[in-house]
């Protein structure tokens, strides 16, 4: 029962990874400590969105050592850079067993390499058996478990080398620019894609849609001692934000209420200067209807407060996403966060599964248990075999 704990305790005695055995035609032996060692190394490497180069290089090297062919597909920097700034190239990784090609792949396993800021170092609590650190849940646990599951099935001969591929993308936390870039790369028409995100080891039956926008106010600056000579942009913006906070938006029985989060506000120059401009960045989790419905309600709600306010939607957004959940032996749930699922083109079955809780992701206490990580390996193996009709 506690064999996985004993193995992890031995692993934790050293900060270095245990030597890996390259796969050959019979595929090298592997045990459960591989998922812990790989997970640890992934979490130890900072990979905040738009800075995924180092983790991409590590994972590419790791997969090559396991006898995978690895393709690195460049993705443009998300943020514009000054001429004197250097940017290490970010890229998506597509990997498949070296004894096969990616052309006939039926099943794709995928997760994202990037994390939200700030970087939090890896740590392990030997009393609670919890692993902590940025990305320990979202989504490096998924990467480690998927890779370990794939190698285990290949090593045992349970699946053919030509049947599966691995895809690890950048930029999921920035709106999915990595997955969208992958669409431009020639790849098979996959039958099944298994996405990795924290789902408490349940199959997600769907997730809410997503819509992001900015509200901007342009005022007139001046000396704060003479406020009647200017127009305070902060004072223009605040009533609109209050109205948005109470704006009725679509709902549904499956996903509940659409929620709106005023995540960031910036305004003014100094306390003794009339604010000449102000803006707020806002995220909407859509529970019902197409994004155009929510867009129209938002614009009308803002303009009703002040016609001069500008509303800019970052993208078209998307409505609620229904996901396949027909594999027996899993509990199911809906989730309120967004994923790369809507950004991957193709007519394929879609599963969403992973260890850890989204309630811990993005937080200063992000963590998951050793047992969840071990069970995720078995969960991914079960999903792969079900996708292949085994």
């Amino acid at each position: 029962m506690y064999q996985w704990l004993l193995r992890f305790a031995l692993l934790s005695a050293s900060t270095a990874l245990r030597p890996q055995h390259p796969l050959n035609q019979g595929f090298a032996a592997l045990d459960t400590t591989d998922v812990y060692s790989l997970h640890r190394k992934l979490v130890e490497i900072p990979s905040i969105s738009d800075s995924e180069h180092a983790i991409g290089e590590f994972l590419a090297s790791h997969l090559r050592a396991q006898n995978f062919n690895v393709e690195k597909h460049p993705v443009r920097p998300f943020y514009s850079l000054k001429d004197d700034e250097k940017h290490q190239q970010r890229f998506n990784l597509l990997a498949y067993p070296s004894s096969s090609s990616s052309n006939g792949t039926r099943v794709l396993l995928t997760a994202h390499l990037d994390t939200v800021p700030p970087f939090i170092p890896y740590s392990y609590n030997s009393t609670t058996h919890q692993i902590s650190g940025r990305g320990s849940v979202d989504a490096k646990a998924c990467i480690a478990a998927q890779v370990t599951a794939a190698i285990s099935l290949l090593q045992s001969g349970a699946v053919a080398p030509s049947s599966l591929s691995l895809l690890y993308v950048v930029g999921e936390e920035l709106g999915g620019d990595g997955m969208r870039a992958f669409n431009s790369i020639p790849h098979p028409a996959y039958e099944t894609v298994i996405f990795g995100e924290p789902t408490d080891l349940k199959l997600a039956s769907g997730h809410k849609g997503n819509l992001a926008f900015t509200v901007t106010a342009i005022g007139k600056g001046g000396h704060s001692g003479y406020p009647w000579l200017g127009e305070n942009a902060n004072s223009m913006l605040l009533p609109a934000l209050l109205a948005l906070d109470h704006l009725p938006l679509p709902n549904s029985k499956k996903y509940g209420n659409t929620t709106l989060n005023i995540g960031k506000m910036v305004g003014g120059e100094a306390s003794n200067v009339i604010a000449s401009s102000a803006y707020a960045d806002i995220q909407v989790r859509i529970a019902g209807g197409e994004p155009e419905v929510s867009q129209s309600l938002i614009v009308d709600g803002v303009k009703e407060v002040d016609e001069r306010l500008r509303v800019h939607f970052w993208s078209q957004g998307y409505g609620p996403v229904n996901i396949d959940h027909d594999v027996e032996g899993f509990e199911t749930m809906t989730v309120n966060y967004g994923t790369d699922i809507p950004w991957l083109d193709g007519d394929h079955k879609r599963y969403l599964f992973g260890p850890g809780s989204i309630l811990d992701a993005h937080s200063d206490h992000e963590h998951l248990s050793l047992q969840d990580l071990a069970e995720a390996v078995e969960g991914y193996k079960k999903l792969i075999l079900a996708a292949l009709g085994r």
Side-chain angles (χ1 to χ4, degrees):
M1 179 177 179
Y2 294 102
Q3 186 179 20
W4 53 274
L5 283 177
L6 294 174
R7 286 177 171 173
F8 187 82
L10 291 172
L11 175 71
S12 298
S14 170
T15 57
L17 279 175
R18 182 170 54 78
Q20 302 293 321
H21 303 285
L23 292 174
N24 51 36
Q25 290 299 321
F27 297 101
L30 154 147
D31 62 49
T32 53
T33 57
D34 287 352
V35 71
Y36 305 133
S37 60
L38 177 56
H39 180 253
R40 176 172 185 157
K41 193 61 179 178
L42 291 169
V43 176
E44 287 176 338
I45 301 172
S47 59
I48 292 169
S49 301
D50 212 31
S51 299
E52 304 100 334
H53 176 84
I55 195 169
E57 290 290 354
F58 163 74
L59 190 55
S61 176
H62 178 84
L63 290 170
R64 288 192 185 103
Q66 300 296 337
N67 209 24
F68 279 82
N69 288 324
V70 178
E71 299 177 7
K72 299 195 307 189
H73 298 288
V75 179
R76 294 179 58 187
F78 185 84
Y79 297 108
S80 59
L81 301 173
K82 298 177 182 177
D83 292 338
D84 60 345
E85 288 182 314
K86 294 181 179 179
H87 190 94
Q88 290 184 305
Q89 187 180 72
R90 60 204 293 253
F91 49 84
N92 295 329
L93 289 179
L94 178 64
Y96 44 92
S98 60
S99 57
S100 68
S101 74
S102 66
N103 293 334
T105 297
R106 296 173 57 191
V107 177
L108 179 72
L109 284 81
T110 183
H112 59 92
L113 296 164
D114 63 318
T115 71
V116 297
F119 175 67
I120 302 173
Y122 176 99
S123 64
Y124 170 64
N125 187 316
S126 59
T127 301
T128 63
H129 309 300
Q130 298 289 320
I131 305 168
S132 301
R134 177 59 75 227
S136 57
V137 173
D138 189 10
K140 296 177 181 182
C142 299
I143 297 173
Q146 287 180 350
V147 170
T148 305
I151 295 174
S152 177
L153 290 175
L154 291 166
Q155 170 257 316
S156 68
V159 300
S162 61
S163 62
L164 61 83
S165 293
L166 308 173
L167 172 66
Y168 298 112
V169 300
V170 301
E172 189 274 342
E173 301 290 1
L174 292 176
D177 67 325
M179 187 62 81
R180 284 188 266 193
F182 178 70
N183 288 321
S184 65
I185 305 300
H187 56 269
Y190 304 111
E191 295 177 11
T192 302
V193 182
I194 301 170
F195 294 82
E197 290 281 2
T199 65
D200 293 295
L201 297 173
K202 300 175 183 179
L203 276 182
S205 62
H207 68 70
K208 285 185 175 181
N210 204 347
L211 183 65
F213 66 99
T214 300
V215 180
T216 303
I218 303 298
K220 180 181 178 182
H223 195 291
S224 65
Y226 304 86
W228 56 87
L229 297 180
E231 185 156 23
N232 194 304
N234 289 334
S235 298
M236 295 168 61
L237 180 63
L238 289 172
L241 298 183
L242 183 62
L244 287 173
D245 242 354
H246 295 85
L247 183 67
L249 292 168
N251 58 62
S252 67
K253 183 177 180 179
K254 181 173 181 177
Y255 296 103
N257 295 322
T258 294
T259 59
L260 181 149
N261 179 60
I262 302 169
K264 180 180 179 181
M265 296 186 292
V266 177
E269 294 78 29
S271 61
N272 58 353
V273 178
I274 300 169
S276 60
S277 65
Y279 72 88
D281 290 339
I282 300 166
Q283 193 95 13
V284 182
R285 306 294 181 172
I286 301 174
E290 295 302 314
E292 293 81 4
V293 176
S294 293
Q295 286 181 7
S296 178
L297 291 169
I298 288 165
V299 171
D300 290 347
V302 170
K303 296 297 185 179
E304 194 172 299
V305 173
D306 193 327
E307 282 282 349
R308 298 169 296 174
L309 296 174
R310 304 173 185 172
V311 181
H312 170 69
F313 293 97
W314 300 2
S315 69
Q316 182 63 30
Y318 58 87
V321 177
N322 294 320
I323 308 171
D324 295 294
H325 54 284
D326 54 358
V327 179
E328 294 184 3
F330 291 91
E331 294 183 57
T332 62
M333 67 186 301
T334 59
V335 297
N336 293 345
Y337 54 81
T339 72
D340 273 333
I341 290 177
W343 304 133
L344 179 59
D345 295 342
D347 182 18
H348 47 258
K349 297 201 74 169
R350 311 179 296 185
Y351 293 101
L352 182 63
F353 173 83
S357 170
I358 193 63
L359 302 181
D360 297 317
H362 295 202
S363 71
D364 60 0
H365 57 271
E366 184 171 354
H367 69 280
L368 84 164
S369 71
L370 289 181
Q371 187 169 358
D372 271 8
L373 194 53
E375 290 183 7
V377 175
E378 298 307 311
Y380 283 121
K381 288 163 67 174
K382 187 173 183 178
L383 290 172
I384 294 167
L385 291 173
L388 294 172
R390 305 292 174 83

